[in-house]
Amino acid sequence: MTQTPNPGALAGIRVVEVGSFIAGPFCGQLLADLGADVVKVEPPQSGDVMRQWGAVQLDGKSLWWPVIARNKRSLTLDLRTGRGQEIARALIAEADILVENFRPGTLEKWGLGPDDLWTTNPGLIVARVSGFGQTGPYSRDAGFGAIAEAMGGLRTLAGFPDRPPPRAGLSIGDSLAGAFAALGTLAALEARRRTGKGQVVDVGITDAVLAVQESVLSEYSATGALRERTGTRLPGIAPSNLYPTRDGQWAIIGANGDAIFKRLAQAMGASELAADPRYATHRARGTHQQELDDRVAVWTRTLPLAELLAVLKRAAVPAGPLNDAAGIVQDAHFRERGAVVEVESEEYGRLTMQGVTPRLSETPGAVQWAGPPLGHHTREVLSERLGLSAADIAQLKADGVI
């Protein structure tokens, strides 16, 4: 496992990450991808629960862990013990950022709340991710991403109107919260550059879900309209949908702009559609959405997927395949951009995973190692950061603190 400093944009920024599951650790992953030195604090023996999570495992090992813990250093530490809290406080005293996603009040109970930590490290930025945020009537309630997706209105918009709303096959709410926490943390770093003071970055998963609700709330406020489930399309946006192909696959086509629709009509051999009053304008196409989708689908069924996409590409009509993981990892575009990368790991062998986003031209991030074994960096961090001797570390191990 190659572990050399990442010379990315956040090189030299020290992060201590505590907590588990997805939202907080995803924030830590983003910071580590961009070069921050992230020390991941895990309970001794069991480690982060993400070491067990994932729909598919390899020899009993999570295949999610190598991604969400990549570029991080694993330190085992029992934060429920006085000595563990003391060590954590010393580590955080020389850190730039603390990332945590415990239930609000947990850090304060351990004497590790922001007010306590700022006495020795006034520039510390504390990124706090929780189900409902640090304030409000629900703040102390337990909350997971799935609950926040439902309460924040995301789930009610997914699926078809004649059946219960499904969930996406990913933890979207958690990932959104982690991304917003990373964004807020970077903003707080810039503010600290001017003021020298740290602050709390407070992200509720419900907040993150609400933040991507587009015009849903303002539509209701102004007109009383409630956005509903619409299956594979957005109402009034046409043609923009999944369309079947001759070889039993699906293509997604987005031709809802006037000029683009004209090019689509020409590609279909039906140029007259662009002048038809039912389809000539954006609003008209939205009004006749179903019949227009049906006409497009009749045409797409005449071509296999590859040929259909080639025709649409020549016509400059936005389109693409409905990819699964196999399609993604075989796509040359993703490979060339580094959106899909190969990572060598002692525990897992050669793994394919998503690359670093965003891409910076001068100080790009990198995936340097996959999520490490439990406690792999404990001795390294304690000796490097706190100057503990081998005997000190051995005693902490014997006492069950690490």
Side-chain angles (χ1 to χ4, degrees):
M1 182 183 296
T2 302
Q3 299 183 13
T4 56
N6 181 350
L10 297 181
I13 297 296
R14 291 183 169 183
V15 181
V16 175
E17 177 194 303
V18 299
S20 59
F21 295 105
I22 306 165
F26 185 62
C27 171
Q29 176 195 324
L30 297 177
L31 299 176
D33 281 353
L34 294 174
D37 180 3
V38 179
V39 174
K40 166 73 177 176
V41 176
E42 302 184 69
Q45 311 306 324
S46 60
D48 190 320
V49 296
M50 297 306 296
R51 290 183 178 274
Q52 286 78 49
W53 277 32
V56 178
Q57 298 192 335
L58 177 68
D59 300 329
K61 293 177 292 189
S62 165
L63 290 165
W64 196 344
W65 176 255
V67 180
I68 201 167
R70 66 194 193 186
N71 295 333
K72 300 177 185 178
R73 297 199 282 173
S74 172
L75 164 72
T76 53
L77 188 63
D78 189 348
L79 294 176
R80 290 171 172 78
T81 67
R83 183 67 174 124
Q85 293 159 13
E86 181 182 323
I87 292 171
R89 193 174 295 109
L91 285 172
I92 297 166
E94 47 86 68
D96 298 285
I97 300 162
L98 172 66
V99 177
E100 68 100 0
N101 66 331
F102 292 112
R103 194 183 303 188
T106 301
L107 285 187
E108 284 77 3
K109 180 178 65 177
W110 293 339
L112 297 173
D115 289 337
D116 298 302
L117 299 173
W118 283 330
T119 60
T120 54
N121 187 355
L124 180 70
I125 294 159
V126 184
R128 314 194 75 171
V129 188
S130 59
F132 304 102
Q134 300 297 311
T135 60
Y138 306 147
S139 61
R140 298 303 177 101
D141 294 351
F144 272 160
I147 310 303
E149 289 169 23
M151 294 180 67
L154 188 63
R155 190 72 68 87
T156 195
L157 300 176
F160 293 86
D162 61 344
R163 63 200 73 176
R167 70 169 296 163
L170 299 167
S171 302
I172 297 297
D174 291 289
S175 297
L176 284 171
F180 278 114
L183 173 63
T185 297
L186 297 181
L189 276 175
E190 173 60 16
R192 189 184 71 175
R193 185 184 66 80
R194 299 193 308 269
T195 68
K197 295 179 61 177
Q199 61 184 295
V200 170
V201 177
D202 176 8
V203 178
I205 304 176
T206 45
D207 303 337
V209 171
L210 284 169
V212 297
Q213 288 290 296
E214 299 177 353
S215 61
V216 170
L217 302 186
S218 58
E219 289 168 3
Y220 172 70
S221 172
T223 70
L226 291 170
R227 189 89 68 88
E228 297 179 348
R229 297 188 292 284
T230 55
T232 59
R233 64 189 184 191
L234 289 175
I237 308 297
S240 180
N241 207 340
L242 285 171
Y243 300 94
T245 64
R246 191 174 75 190
D247 50 353
Q249 300 191 67
W250 295 92
I252 187 161
I253 301 173
N256 46 293
D258 290 351
I260 301 173
F261 178 67
K262 184 176 181 179
R263 296 198 296 270
L264 173 63
Q266 291 171 342
M268 293 170 62
S271 298
E272 70 279 3
L273 293 180
D276 189 317
R278 294 172 297 172
Y279 313 131
T281 67
H282 174 79
R283 184 159 296 180
R285 288 191 297 275
T287 301
H288 299 91
Q289 184 167 26
Q290 184 60 60
E291 64 184 68
L292 182 54
D293 272 345
D294 290 344
R295 294 192 71 149
V296 175
V298 167
W299 173 67
T300 62
R301 282 193 179 95
T302 68
L303 299 170
L305 178 63
E307 185 177 342
L308 172 65
L309 294 178
V311 169
L312 293 169
K313 184 173 184 177
R314 287 195 297 270
V317 173
L322 184 65
N323 273 339
D324 56 14
I328 293 168
V329 300
Q330 293 164 15
D331 193 303
H333 176 81
F334 295 141
R335 293 285 186 170
E336 184 174 329
R337 279 186 56 76
V340 171
V341 297
E342 304 290 333
V343 181
E344 294 289 348
S345 167
E346 293 177 7
E347 284 193 291
Y348 297 89
R350 190 173 180 83
L351 278 180
T352 303
M353 65 179 67
Q354 56 271 41
V356 175
T357 298
R359 296 168 60 87
L360 277 65
S361 63
E362 300 301 321
T363 53
V367 181
Q368 297 194 294
W369 64 84
L374 180 62
H376 185 75
H377 303 93
T378 298
R379 294 179 182 276
E380 174 183 297
V381 171
L382 293 181
S383 60
E384 170 194 306
R385 295 283 180 86
L386 303 184
L388 296 185
S389 67
D392 294 332
I393 294 170
Q395 187 61 55
L396 291 171
K397 178 74 172 175
D399 293 341
V401 177
I402 60 172

